[in-house]
Amino acid sequence: MSKQPVHLAMRDLDDCRVPLVSEPLNADQAERLAPSFKALGDPVRLRLLSLIASHAGGEVCVCDLTDAFDLTAPTISHHLKVLKETGLVTAERRGTWVYYRARAEALGLLSTVLAVPRFAAAQGTAA
């Protein structure tokens, strides 16, 4: 997998909207989905996404995120950049501050891929 920024549009992932338990991903689908899951594999980025997605009003200023961590502002900015490059969040500059918003369609896609329909869950526990 390349270390170059990904910048995928959600429409580039439309063919990936199938739960893993329904059918296996092909190599191309896995290659396109992996950067998002890799981004979430870092505890700081996972927590940042959680803070952004759960914030009242659906968006949060970067100034409100930095105090939640014992990390430098440049480190937080790096993690936010990764989340933005993988399409998990959007950013909008307003004056000197940047406001972040979780991309519902990106979270929905990842949720769909990891979803386990009830019938599949029931079959898995019967064994």
Side-chain angles (χ1 to χ4, degrees), residues 10 13-14 16-17 33 104-114:
M10 285 298 108
L13 297 171
D14 279 344
C16 298
R17 295 182 188 281
L33 283 168
E105 64 273 19
L107 299 181
L109 170 66
L110 298 181
S111 295
T112 297
V113 171
L114 295 177

Side-chain angles (χ1 to χ4, degrees), residues 76-125:
I76 297 297
S77 292
H78 164 74
H79 287 296
L80 289 167
K81 178 183 173 187
V82 171
L83 291 173
K84 185 178 171 196
E85 286 178 343
T86 56
L88 295 169
V89 300
T90 61
E92 178 184 346
R93 179 170 293 283
R94 298 182 197 154
T96 58
W97 296 111
V98 178
Y99 288 78
Y100 289 88
R101 180 179 293 275
R103 292 187 63 206
E105 64 273 19
L107 299 181
L109 170 66
L110 298 181
S111 295
T112 297
V113 171
L114 295 177
V116 179
R118 286 188 181 170
F119 70 90
Q123 290 175 345
T125 58

Side-chain angles (χ1 to χ4, degrees), residues 2-109:
S2 170
K3 292 190 180 207
Q4 296 298 315
V6 176
H7 303 294
L8 284 177
M10 285 298 108
R11 68 180 174 275
D12 295 336
L13 297 171
D14 279 344
D15 68 321
C16 298
R17 295 182 188 281
V18 178
L20 293 174
V21 298
S22 297
E23 63 183 67
L25 295 172
N26 63 41
D28 182 58
Q29 291 168 318
E31 185 75 25
R32 288 181 284 135
L33 283 168
S36 294
F37 286 111
K38 183 177 179 182
L40 294 177
D42 182 279
V44 172
R45 288 193 286 267
L46 183 58
R47 189 158 169 235
L48 277 168
L49 182 62
S50 175
L51 288 167
I52 294 166
S54 66
H55 199 270
E59 67 179 13
V60 62
C61 176
V62 69
C63 61
D64 295 325
L65 294 171
T66 54
D67 291 341
F69 297 90
D70 189 23
L71 297 169
T72 65
T75 300
I76 297 297
S77 292
H78 164 74
H79 287 296
L80 289 167
K81 178 183 173 187
V82 171
L83 291 173
K84 185 178 171 196
E85 286 178 343
T86 56
L88 295 169
V89 300
T90 61
E92 178 184 346
R93 179 170 293 283
R94 298 182 197 154
T96 58
W97 296 111
V98 178
Y99 288 78
Y100 289 88
R101 180 179 293 275
R103 292 187 63 206
E105 64 273 19
L107 299 181
L109 170 66

